[in-house]
Amino acid sequence: MKIYTKKDLDNKEISDAFYSVIEFETLGGVNDIIEDVKKNKNSALIEYSKKFNDGNFQSENDFLVSENEIEKAYDETPDDVIETIKNAHKNILEFSKKQLDCIKEFQINIGDSVLGHRIVPLNRVLCYVPGGNYPLPSSALMTVTPAKAAGVKEVYLTSPKIRPQTIVAAHIAGADKIYKIGGAQAISAFAYGTESILPVDKIVGPGNKYVTYAKKYVYGTCDIDFLAGPSEVLIVADNTANPELISADMLAQAEHDKDARSYLITTSRELAAKVQKSAEKQLENLKTKEIAQIAFEKSFCIITDSIDEAVEISNKRAPEHLELMFKNADRIKEKFINYGSLFVGENCAEVFGDYCSGTNHVLPTNRAARYTGGLSVFDFIKILTWQNIDKKTADNLAKTASKLAEAEGLFAHKLASDLRQNI
């Protein structure tokens, strides 16, 4: 872990390394895959799945996880794991439903005119779950659950080399169809459709750089949640914080992959030294040491003179996960305005949010928290406005609309407005 002071951030090289936004590179080979699947549909999907060893599909009938395979997945998943998945799903569902309660349909009356908005769920979405280094049943819960809570009619999930526990989680969360294809070819298939796969309205969920670039490519044909980069955590702490908890939380983020990022901002240089020492000790017996150590060595610690300075730096960095471990943190948590998800106090392990507390773990990375929050039921609904205008109100509105249309030089607009006067 590299230790700097706030003044060191005036150095462009250090500042760029700390605040940098990763540019998503253009992957020409991915373009070819997407266009090939778009054109040749199932046949291309089968070929690419074989080429990338994502599944030895003989026909389109092999894309879908069958009822027998679902039953087998339950048999192969230990009972205690199934119960754990159910408990996590319960919390995520409860939180998602409560989020939906925050938005209500309404209408307002202006004279005899009525204006309002409706809440309409999307029709069909895809939840993508990575199938790489680790099985991620938690991502199945985090993507499918809010979609079902929002009332999406058809929720599909796909994951390459899908594991039994991921199938179980998708089934418990209520996925209508579970597929076992992945990569850029899967994104293309669900964006454009094939002979056996219906095109979706939106694709959500994390993936590697090829999946991320494919999502960027198909955006506009369908919607996406956001472009996710390497996972990250930022912890703000003072001398009252527990260094073992901080180092454990930093390593938990670091073990995702070698490009994961862990940051500590603290008012205590002594705490920084303790965190460094604690992390080195915890790494000794960590099964994921090979990955976590590399990521942790690239981690940053910034020493500040005050918590206010830490707030300033944190808001500029806009981390995916933000943990507050300083005295009376709850009193000033509102000062932090840029983050994917917030964890206040040492009892709030970031991994609780990853798995089971109820908030979503599909979160903006790469400083995207400056302009968006994490995945939620709001990603799966549309707010549609409507109006029903009476003659008297139309006459009054026409005077305003006609003047503005004329000012803009849009005379067909003016005509359409003028004709509503005194009719």
Side-chain angles (χ1 to χ4, degrees):
M1 179 175 68
K2 302 171 184 177
I3 300 178
Y4 299 106
T5 65
K6 182 178 183 294
K7 188 176 181 180
D8 291 327
L9 291 177
D10 294 335
N11 180 294
K12 186 177 186 305
E13 183 178 351
I14 296 173
S15 180
D16 287 349
F18 184 72
Y19 291 117
S20 63
V21 173
I22 297 172
E23 297 292 336
F24 292 98
E25 59 184 308
T26 298
L27 302 170
V30 175
N31 293 6
D32 296 337
I33 293 171
I34 294 170
E35 290 298 325
D36 194 4
V37 174
K38 180 181 178 181
K39 178 181 178 181
N40 296 304
K41 304 183 185 299
N42 281 346
S43 60
L45 193 54
I46 291 171
E47 288 304 312
Y48 284 115
S49 294
K50 289 178 179 178
K51 179 179 179 179
F52 298 123
N53 195 29
D54 280 341
N56 187 23
F57 304 130
Q58 302 303 312
S59 74
E60 62 191 43
N61 296 324
D62 296 331
F63 297 158
L64 195 64
V65 174
S66 66
E67 289 296 327
N68 287 338
E69 288 176 304
I70 293 175
E71 291 180 11
K72 184 181 178 183
Y74 274 92
D75 291 338
E76 294 178 355
T77 303
D79 290 342
D80 60 335
V81 174
I82 294 174
E83 192 62 30
T84 297
I85 291 172
K86 288 180 178 178
N87 289 337
H89 172 253
K90 179 182 177 182
N91 291 343
I92 298 164
L93 181 61
E94 183 177 354
F95 189 85
S96 296
K97 286 182 175 179
K98 194 66 177 178
Q99 280 186 318
L100 194 60
D101 288 343
C102 294
I103 297 183
K104 301 293 184 181
E105 294 191 355
F106 77 90
Q107 65 180 43
I108 58 173
N109 293 78
I110 303 176
D112 291 328
S113 297
V114 186
L115 296 83
H117 81 214
R118 300 169 56 209
I119 299 170
V120 178
L122 301 184
N123 185 56
R124 187 183 301 124
V125 302
L126 173 70
C127 301
Y128 188 93
V129 174
N133 294 329
Y134 312 108
L136 294 174
S138 57
S139 288
L141 295 176
M142 295 290 178
T143 52
V144 175
T145 304
K148 296 301 290 187
V152 175
K153 185 177 179 181
E154 296 177 71
V155 180
Y156 301 159
L157 178 139
T158 194
S159 182
K161 301 179 183 177
I162 193 167
R163 312 291 181 88
Q165 54 266 56
T166 302
I167 294 174
V168 170
H171 187 260
I172 288 172
D176 296 288
K177 290 183 179 180
I178 306 170
Y179 292 84
K180 43 190 173 181
I181 54 179
Q185 62 269 22
I187 300 300
S188 181
F190 285 95
Y192 301 110
T194 73
E195 298 92 340
S196 60
I197 293 173
L198 293 172
V200 299
D201 303 314
K202 187 165 188 171
I203 297 173
V204 303
N208 62 21
K209 64 180 181 179
Y210 302 102
V211 169
T212 300
Y213 179 75
K215 286 170 65 178
K216 181 179 181 180
Y217 189 97
V218 304
Y219 175 63
T221 297
C222 63
D223 192 17
I224 63 172
D225 44 4
F226 39 72
L227 302 176
S231 194
E232 58 197 27
V233 66
L234 188 152
I235 301 171
V236 179
D238 63 10
N239 61 356
T240 66
N242 185 322
E244 287 188 313
L245 295 180
I246 293 174
S247 59
D249 287 358
M250 293 180 75
L251 292 178
Q253 211 62 39
E255 73 177 351
H256 275 287
D257 62 66
K258 295 175 183 178
D259 292 321
R261 304 177 180 189
S262 297
Y263 303 109
L264 171 63
I265 305 178
T266 180
T267 54
S268 171
R269 186 175 290 275
E270 182 182 1
L271 177 73
K274 289 180 179 179
V275 169
Q276 179 81 40
K277 185 175 181 180
S278 176
E280 291 171 358
K281 183 177 181 180
Q282 291 171 351
L283 276 166
E284 292 176 2
N285 299 312
L286 195 63
K287 292 181 180 180
T288 53
K289 177 181 178 180
E290 183 179 349
I291 294 174
Q293 186 165 20
I294 293 173
F296 184 76
E297 286 174 355
K298 295 187 294 184
S299 297
F300 280 77
C301 173
I302 308 296
I303 309 296
T304 63
D305 292 330
S306 67
I307 293 297
D308 284 341
E309 286 184 351
V311 172
E312 176 189 346
I313 295 170
S314 176
N315 283 335
K316 185 176 179 180
R317 183 59 189 75
E320 177 188 14
H321 306 96
L322 174 62
E323 296 187 28
L324 307 183
M325 293 192 188
F326 55 87
K327 189 176 181 180
N328 299 323
D330 190 58
R331 295 182 185 177
I332 68 163
K333 63 181 184 294
E334 288 78 12
K335 290 186 177 181
F336 295 89
I337 57 172
N338 293 334
Y339 54 80
S341 193
L342 177 65
F343 304 82
V344 183
E346 65 178 25
N347 292 325
C348 287
E350 182 271 316
V351 296
F352 294 164
D354 280 346
Y355 293 121
C356 57
S357 60
T359 58
N360 208 289
H361 82 196
V362 181
L363 301 169
T365 62
N366 209 24
R367 298 187 68 206
R370 291 171 296 149
Y371 53 81
T372 188
L375 193 72
S376 70
V377 292
F378 308 132
D379 286 281
F380 302 104
I381 60 173
K382 300 178 292 185
I383 298 177
L384 307 179
T385 59
W386 60 271
Q387 52 194 284
N388 189 342
I389 306 296
D390 70 289
K391 289 184 178 181
K392 182 179 179 181
T393 303
D395 186 59
N396 289 329
L397 291 175
K399 296 172 184 176
T400 300
S402 294
K403 284 289 185 182
L404 285 172
E406 184 176 8
E408 292 182 351
L410 297 174
F411 295 101
H413 282 63
K414 184 178 186 302
L415 175 63
S417 179
D418 287 344
L419 289 174
R420 263 69 179 189
Q421 296 189 59
N422 302 313
I423 58 173

